Amino acid sequence: MTLKQRPIESRGSKHSCEMPIVAERGPLRAAVAAARAGGKRIGLVPTMGALHAGHLSLVEASRKECDFTVVTIFVNPMQFGPGEDFDRYPRPLEADLAALARMEADLVFAPPQTEIYRPGCGTFVDPGPVALPLEGACRPGHFRGVATVVLKLFHLARPDAAYFGRKDFQQTVVVRRLVDDLDLEIEVRVCPTVREPDGLALSSRNAYLGPESRRKALVLSRSLRLARQLSEAGERSAAAVLEKMRQEFALLPEVRVEYIALVDPETLQPIERIVPGTVALVAAVVDGTRLIDNETILNS
Ligand code: AMP
């Protein structure tokens, strides 16, 4: 059932544990203003729903560090390109709300598209050079969509701190730049990637994978582990590590690599020598499902 079909509940209903669910900016702003007036520190966790333990770790971090945690669920059309999976993106709203109630989130903001992009809207955020390589090159316009919706959510929820997952490493760099460049007084908190015991990074898109595809998908985390082992053993040549990572992917020719990169963690520019902080990033399409992952391969 979509939120659009639930107008009464969406105007300020309560789930179990009395967790309000709001679909409009008015009640969101009012609830946050009341919390702030009570001296509470506000934490924001932006998501697209289809929640898993990775998302919930962000909620947990916010609950720990803040007094009032707002979770947003919004599948942002602007960050999907033509032919991407916007229409089929999973939207298990009831299960998401139940999980958030269990986590004791204080408020869920789950707006319809028209609440975020109102008729006539024409101002967007251009996130600059860190948005150009990697995901930006493969998904033109993606980070313009991300930066725009994140800025809008920041303005709507006015958080003191916002929580993002390391899983989307480039997104965290784009958001940090957004906050610095536009002088926002928001602490950006980045939480570690939550993985399955076998290394697969949790992702809402893992739901698209059957057992065989899921097995193939392990090549992403395996290649990152290999890169880390090589650098920890003393390899400093990026070309040598990239070659070994490519060889790992080459064992599964049906997995289509979009990029394998070793970059500076702030500029996201490719490096030649591995230094503490160097990040390896991979993106690949496994049986029609596009997956990304990353790791710092040498500790600072
Ligand atoms: P999404 O719903 O995919 O937009 O993700 C919402 C937030 O959850 C983003 O900040 C993601 O980086 C974060 N996230 C997604 N997967 C994971 C994971 N496996 N571990 C930690 N955070 C994650």
Side-chain angles (χ1 to χ4, degrees):
M1 193 186 289
T2 67
L3 201 71
K4 272 192 196 147
Q5 293 167 299
R6 328 173 3 160
I8 298 168
E9 234 190 75
S10 70
R11 289 217 176 85
S13 74
K14 308 242 165 142
H15 212 259
S16 51
C17 305
E18 301 296 292
M19 178 186 73
I21 301 151
V22 302
E24 291 165 2
R25 57 189 60 211
L28 167 67
R29 283 189 158 137
V32 170
R36 172 154 290 115
K40 293 187 173 172
R41 177 177 162 83
I42 315 294
L44 176 71
V45 182
T47 82
M48 298 202 300
L51 303 180
H52 50 64
H55 297 110
L56 300 182
S57 73
L58 308 183
V59 178
E60 195 180 0
S62 172
R63 291 257 306 134
K64 231 178 240 162
E65 298 176 0
C66 301
D67 312 300
F68 190 86
T69 293
V70 178
V71 180
T72 68
I73 298 179
F74 180 62
V75 185
N76 175 29
M78 240 196 108
Q79 68 188 72
F80 288 78
E84 292 187 359
D85 57 344
F86 175 72
D87 289 330
R88 70 170 184 137
Y89 197 84
R91 291 167 171 84
L93 186 61
E94 287 303 326
D96 286 350
L97 296 177
L100 293 174
R102 279 195 301 275
M103 295 299 294
E104 300 184 16
D106 295 290
L107 182 91
V108 177
F109 179 52
Q113 258 188 59
T114 47
E115 187 66 12
I116 297 295
Y117 300 110
R118 288 183 294 185
C121 79
T123 304
F124 305 100
V125 179
D126 171 0
V130 293
L132 296 179
L134 306 165
E135 289 301 283
C138 297
R139 305 180 70 188
H142 170 67
F143 285 121
R144 184 173 187 255
V146 169
T148 300
V149 82
V150 166
L151 184 64
K152 287 166 82 69
L153 294 173
F154 283 176
H155 283 313
L156 291 169
R158 309 284 304 271
D160 297 288
Y163 294 79
F164 295 87
R166 161 75 199 235
K167 157 79 170 31
D168 296 276
F169 184 77
Q170 188 173 12
Q171 174 170 280
T172 66
V173 177
V174 167
V175 170
R176 280 192 200 282
R177 276 257 63 89
L178 172 81
V179 164
D180 277 3
D181 293 352
L182 300 184
D183 310 307
L184 307 179
E185 290 191 330
I186 295 173
E187 269 179 52
V188 176
R189 312 284 286 151
V190 176
C191 301
T193 301
V194 177
R195 297 178 180 281
E196 303 276 10
D198 60 9
L200 184 69
L202 297 192
S203 162
S204 304
R205 291 188 170 99
N206 291 353
Y208 301 146
L209 302 172
E212 181 58 16
S213 310
R214 193 195 171 289
R215 193 187 56 74
K216 295 180 198 165
L218 290 174
V219 67
L220 279 84
S221 54
R222 201 161 54 236
S223 73
L224 296 170
R225 232 174 11 250
L226 176 63
R228 191 175 168 89
Q229 282 160 4
L230 292 165
S231 344
E232 283 178 348
E235 181 61 76
R236 291 292 172 268
S237 157
V241 170
L242 287 170
E243 183 49 31
K244 293 274 196 233
M245 294 175 78
R246 279 191 211 105
Q247 285 170 10
E248 195 64 37
F249 274 93
L251 297 173
L252 289 170
E254 68 274 32
V255 171
R256 184 162 56 78
V257 175
E258 289 204 346
Y259 58 77
I260 301 175
L262 300 185
V263 304
D264 175 280
E266 274 167 33
T267 64
L268 300 178
Q269 289 305 304
I271 47 96
E272 286 182 5
R273 304 291 300 166
I274 293 166
V275 294
T278 294
V279 176
L281 301 101
V282 292
V285 179
V286 180
D287 297 336
T289 298
R290 188 174 183 282
L291 300 171
I292 59 172
D293 201 352
N294 72 87
E295 276 283 4
T296 296
I297 58 168
L298 196 60
N299 289 341
S300 305

